[in-house]
Amino acid sequence: MEIIFTKQAVKDFDKIKVNPILLKKVRSLLELIDINPFTNPPSYEKLVGIENTYSRRINIQYRLVYQVLMDINTVKIIRM
């Protein structure tokens, strides 16, 4: 799957880069999502409101929010 980032996700990633623990976790989640966005574990939640949108925990405070666009085989990272 192709992964694309919203402008907000890029801004969020710039903030995450200063914390090596969060950066490592985000990179592992992105690798997992690249292979299969529906892989368990770690578990994911389907979000209400935007179609085909899911979230995974980065840590207790932060989540990675993404949308799966199956028709174009793409995952759009919305927020981190």
Side-chain angles (χ1 to χ4, degrees), residues 5-67:
F5 295 85
T6 62
K7 288 181 182 179
Q8 185 60 53
V10 171
K11 288 179 186 178
D12 294 342
F13 187 74
D14 288 339
K15 292 177 185 175
I16 287 173
K17 285 193 294 190
V18 297
N19 186 331
I21 296 168
L22 288 179
L23 182 61
K24 182 178 178 183
K25 181 69 174 175
V26 166
R27 284 190 174 158
S28 69
L29 286 174
L30 289 175
E31 288 173 8
L32 181 80
I33 290 169
D34 185 33
I35 296 167
N36 182 355
F38 304 110
T39 303
N40 272 329
S43 62
Y44 61 91
E45 298 176 38
K46 182 166 177 45
L47 300 180
V48 177
I50 304 173
E51 192 175 337
N52 299 324
T53 305
Y54 305 89
S55 76
R56 292 182 187 256
R57 288 268 173 213
I58 297 172
N59 66 11
I60 214 113
Q61 185 177 4
Y62 299 110
R63 297 190 298 172
L64 177 73
V65 179
Y66 60 97
Q67 184 176 25

Side-chain angles (χ1 to χ4, degrees), residues 2 20 73:
E2 180 184 3
N73 202 27

